[in-house]
Amino acid sequence: MQNLYERSLDDASTDMDLSSHNLNETYFSHAGEPRKVSRGWMALALVVTLGIILIILCILTAILFGHYSTLHHEFSSLKSNDSEMKNGYSELWKSVSNIMGDLSKLKDKVDITEGSCKTCPPAWKMIKSNCYYFSSSSQTWERSKELCVERNGILLVIKKEFEMISLWPTIRQQRYWIGLKRNPENIDQWEWTDGSPLTFSAWNEGEPNNDRDNEHCAEVLGGRQSWNDCPCNNKLNYICKGVWTC
Ligand code: 2F8
Ligand code: CA
C-alpha cells in the first residue's frame, strides 16, 4: 500500500519517463542512427567553409602582395628619377654659373674703364655704367653666388682697383660677400667666381689670416674699405654684378 507521498513520486517518475520517451521520439526517431551522419555533415560543412575562407584569404593576400610589389616598384623608380633630376639640375646649375663667369671675362675684355649700361633693372644700382645689386638679406657665400646667377648676374668680381674704389661710397659701413674664394686644391690661392686669379687685392692689414683654418671666402669691410677672409657659412649681405645684360 503506497502512501500519498510515494504515489506522487511514482507519478512524477512516470511523467519524467514519458517526457524522456517523447524526447527520444522526436530527437532519435528521425535521427536515431542518422544523428551520427548529421554530425559528419556538419564537420564536412565546417571543413569546406574553412577551406573556402582559407582560399579567399590566399587570393586576397596574393592580390595585396601584387599591389604592394607594383607600388614598391613605382616608388623605387620615382626615387631614382628624382635623384637623376637633382643631378641634372645641379649639372645645369654649374653650367649656367660657368657661362656667367665666361661672360664676365669676355665683358672685361670689352669694357676698358666703364660699363655700357644706360639703365639697370629695378632694385639694381648703376655705378659707372655698370649695374650692381646690393642685397638686403644675408646668405651664406655659396647661396649668395646662386642668388646672383638667378638674378642674371654674378657674385661681385672686381678686376680693377678703380672699380672697387667706385663701390665704396655705396658699400658705406656695411660688410658684403664678394665673389672671391680660396682654391680648394691650394688654399693659399684666391680665385674669382669666374675662375680668374687675383689681378689686384685690397686685403685689410693682417688678412687673409684664415682664422681657425676656416676662412675660405672673402668679404668687403665697408668701415675699413678693405677685404677680409671669413667662414663661408657665415651669413652676410652680398653684391651681384650684372654681367651681360643691364
Ligand atoms: O681681427 C681680425 C679678425 O676678426 C674676426 O675674428 C675675430 C674675423 N672673424 C669673422 O669675421 C668671423 C676674422 O676673419 C678676422 O681676421
Ligand atoms: Ca680673416
Side-chain angles (χ1 to χ4, degrees):
M1 189 63 186
Q2 286 179 313
N3 62 25
L4 192 60
Y5 173 70
E6 284 168 342
R7 281 228 322 262
S8 67
L9 271 180
D10 269 1
D11 289 350
S13 157
T14 314
D15 284 353
M16 273 180 68
D17 279 354
L18 258 175
S19 61
S20 161
H21 175 75
N22 286 343
L23 189 66
N24 282 342
E25 277 291 298
T26 52
Y27 192 68
F28 291 114
S29 64
H30 305 294
E33 186 54 26
R35 183 174 178 260
K36 283 183 187 161
V37 177
S38 168
R39 274 195 175 165
W41 277 111
M42 278 173 67
L44 184 64
L46 194 65
V47 168
V48 170
T49 312
L50 284 177
I52 291 171
I53 291 173
L54 196 67
I55 290 169
I56 291 173
L57 280 178
C58 285
I59 292 170
L60 284 178
T61 311
I63 291 172
L64 281 178
F65 187 74
H67 279 304
Y68 170 77
S69 305
T70 315
L71 280 178
H72 184 71
H73 180 71
E74 280 173 8
F75 182 67
S76 307
S77 66
L78 271 177
K79 254 170 66 178
S80 82
N81 282 353
D82 184 47
S83 84
E84 271 170 27
M85 266 176 66
K86 275 186 188 147
N87 286 345
Y89 182 73
S90 115
E91 285 304 310
L92 192 67
W93 196 252
K94 273 187 209 151
S95 307
V96 172
S97 220
N98 288 342
I99 291 170
M100 285 302 194
D102 289 347
L103 283 177
S104 159
K105 279 194 258 183
L106 204 63
K107 196 161 184 256
D108 280 344
K109 290 202 172 105
V110 178
D111 298 333
I112 309 300
T113 51
E114 292 195 353
S116 51
C117 293
K118 303 262 182 293
T119 56
C120 289
W124 288 62
K125 261 185 186 308
M126 198 195 308
I127 300 167
K128 302 276 183 202
S129 301
N130 278 313
C131 295
Y132 300 93
Y133 177 81
F134 294 79
S135 86
S136 49
S137 75
S138 50
Q139 305 286 346
T140 63
W141 187 90
E142 207 63 49
R143 186 67 188 132
S144 303
K145 184 181 157 191
E146 285 173 4
L147 287 170
C148 285
V149 174
E150 276 180 24
R151 292 191 167 94
N152 294 322
I154 191 167
L155 191 58
L156 182 61
V157 170
I158 321 157
K159 299 285 172 60
K160 307 266 167 38
E161 196 171 10
F162 70 80
E163 187 179 0
M164 188 69 255
I165 292 169
S166 75
L167 296 179
W168 291 126
T170 311
I171 293 171
R172 294 195 287 192
Q173 303 295 307
Q174 274 273 28
R175 298 167 67 171
Y176 289 97
W177 283 129
I178 55 174
L180 186 60
K181 194 181 187 184
R182 290 181 193 273
N183 179 337
E185 265 127 53
N186 175 7
I187 61 156
D188 292 327
Q189 195 179 317
W190 287 85
E191 279 179 354
W192 292 107
T193 39
D194 64 1
S196 53
L198 286 187
T199 42
F200 89 99
S201 68
W203 294 112
N204 196 23
E205 207 183 321
E207 306 295 350
N209 62 352
N210 198 9
D211 195 27
R212 296 162 209 245
D213 286 333
N214 187 32
E215 298 194 322
H216 299 161
C217 293
E219 60 169 330
V220 287
L221 300 170
R224 303 196 173 198
Q225 299 202 342
S226 57
W227 303 345
N228 174 43
D229 58 343
C230 72
C232 302
N233 281 336
N234 279 12
K235 287 192 171 176
L236 293 179
N237 291 22
Y238 54 94
I239 307 172
C240 310
K241 183 177 178 182
V243 175
W244 196 247
T245 52
C246 289

